[in-house]
Amino acid sequence: MKYLFTFSLLLVFVIGYGQKEKDPTATEIWDPKPEIVTPGASMVEPPSDAIVLFDGSSLDSWTHMDGSPVKWKLEDGAMTVVKSTGDIKTRESFEDVQLHVEWCTPAEVSSKDQGRGNSGVWLQERYEVQILDSYNNQTYVNGQAGSIYKQHPPLVNACKGPGEWQSYDIIYQAPRFNEKGRLLIPARVTVLHNGVLIQNHIEIWGPVEYRGLPQYKKHGPASIRLQDHGNPVSFRNIWVRRL
Ligand code: MG
C-alpha cells in the first residue's frame, strides 16, 4: 500500500510536470508592459524620454563643482574645457542611467600620453570613463580612451582621430549600499565608443584613484561630471535617460 501511494504521487508529479512543460503560457510574461519610447531620427538625436543636458545652446544644466556658473567656452554648438576653470557637473543628480555624450579632442596635437586630449565622464562624480586622444597615442591601457580609469582597459580601441567628433553610450548601474555604509552591490558599466562595445557590463572597483587601490564609500544620487584636465576637449549633444 505504501509503495502504491509513493508510486501514485510520483506519477502525478511526472504527468503534471509534463503538462506544464507543454503549456506555452506558463513561460509568458504579459505585464507590466514596457513603456513605448520613440527613438530619435538618427543615432545622435535624443529619444523622447531623455533629459537633454546639453544641446549646444546653453550651459544652464551645469555648474562648476562649487556650484558657480560654468566658465567653459560655449561656441558653435559645443562647449570646450577652459584650462584651470575646473570640472563641471550636472545640476541634477542621477543613479542608474543610459548616457550619451559626444566629445572631440583638439585637432592640433601638441602633447602625448595622458596630456593629449584628456578629459573624462565621471559617473556619479566618482567613476571615470576616460576621455583621451588614443589615436596613435601610447599610454597605459587602463588610462586610454574608454578605460574605466586605472581599472579596466577598453575591449578594443575604437578611437577616431584628433579633431573628429566621437560618442560614448554608457549604461550605468549605480552601486548599492546598506544603511551602515557597507557595499552590497558594486557599480557596473557598459560602454559603446562610436557604436563599438568597449566595456561589457564590467564591475567598477570603486571611485577613481590616481594612486593606490579604489575603495567604495557610501553615497547617494550624484551628478554627471566632466573633467578639466587642462586640455581643450569639446562636448556636444549630451543626454541621459533614468533607468
Ligand atoms: Mg581623464
Side-chain angles (χ1 to χ4, degrees), residues 145-170:
S147 64
I148 305 308
Y149 185 73
K150 286 283 177 82
Q151 297 183 25
H152 306 287
L155 293 170
V156 293
N157 181 349
C159 218
K160 292 186 185 177
E164 285 188 69
W165 281 102
Q166 316 204 33
S167 66
Y168 279 160
D169 287 284
I170 299 170

Side-chain angles (χ1 to χ4, degrees), residues 106-117:
E108 192 186 321
V109 175
S110 59
S111 192
K112 59 177 184 143
D113 200 342
Q114 289 288 308
R116 187 172 145 185

